[in-house]
Amino acid sequence: MQKIEINTTQNVIIQYELAILSDRIFAFLIDFVIIIISWLILSAFFSLFIESSDLVFYFVGAPIFFFYTLVSENITNGQSIGKKALDIKIIKINGDEPRMGDFIVRWVFRMIDIYFSAGTLASLLISSSDNKQRLGDIIAGTAIVKLKPNLKLSLKDVLKIQSKEDYEPTYPEVKKFNDEQMLLIKNTLDRVHKFPNKAQRESLDLLYRKVESSLNLNEQLKSDKAKVQFFKTLISDYVVLTR
């Protein structure tokens, strides 16, 4: 999975998982189905009052087809119905909030990326670019990210966690956790080490309080250093007890 790091206007670094091509295709198909259904329903309704099918097309069908994406993404701040269904969203790679101008640029180049090239240009650029951007994204300075990233434990992640012979676990209750929860802890430690800012320290503290409550501990660790060491011990315990 590819990721992107965004430095927000508050100077906080946030890491997102980039939406893959299949996510964007499925979101597009959902939106396309919604466009067709809306087109048929509204066309049938206005046909009761307007006899000319051409007028119904130009004043009802065409606006839905051309402006659905632009309007829906602007109203929902980067999520059409299809994107919302796939839990993906448009963001600015410079950390700013997307504006109307950004959505317009993406919408204009949508014709080239998707419709005029039958999606070929968009697919090639998304598959090959570092931030999985189509032409409209590159020019608008946007990317599409997952709001609920996958937390899959890879072999590389397992091998990075070292176990020790004759190791005596400090927190045997850690066995109640699963691989994804432990990987979340490990990733949190990695972010705190890489970005030692206030936001990451707050996430470390929140995670510590949740884990402490889940394990029914009463240690009340105060310093970040102590919490980091606690989590390192917890990971070691988990590896020894579950491998």
Side-chain angles (χ1 to χ4, degrees), residues 76-99:
T76 58
N77 195 29
Q79 280 189 296
S80 62
I81 296 175
K83 289 182 176 64
K84 195 171 186 64
L86 271 294
D87 284 315
I88 60 179
K89 181 180 181 180
I90 301 168
I91 64 168
K92 289 281 288 182
I93 61 176
N94 64 3
D96 293 337
E97 287 292 323
R99 298 181 179 180

Side-chain angles (χ1 to χ4, degrees), residues 1-3 15-20 22-23 86-88 145-154 157 179-181 183-184 187 191:
M1 65 185 73
Q2 287 181 252
K3 296 183 178 181
Q15 190 177 72
Y16 290 102
E17 182 180 337
L18 289 163
I20 59 177
S22 61
D23 293 326
L86 271 294
D87 284 315
I88 60 179
V145 299
K146 293 186 177 183
L147 298 181
K148 294 181 180 179
N150 295 322
L151 290 175
K152 294 182 179 179
L153 187 65
S154 65
D157 290 311
D179 289 348
E180 289 188 355
Q181 290 170 320
L183 183 56
L184 174 61
N187 287 340
R191 288 197 301 271

Side-chain angles (χ1 to χ4, degrees), residues 43-57 59:
S43 293
F45 174 75
F46 281 99
S47 293
L48 298 174
F49 309 98
I50 305 174
E51 294 184 0
S52 173
S53 59
D54 289 338
L55 288 177
V56 172
F57 171 78
F59 291 101

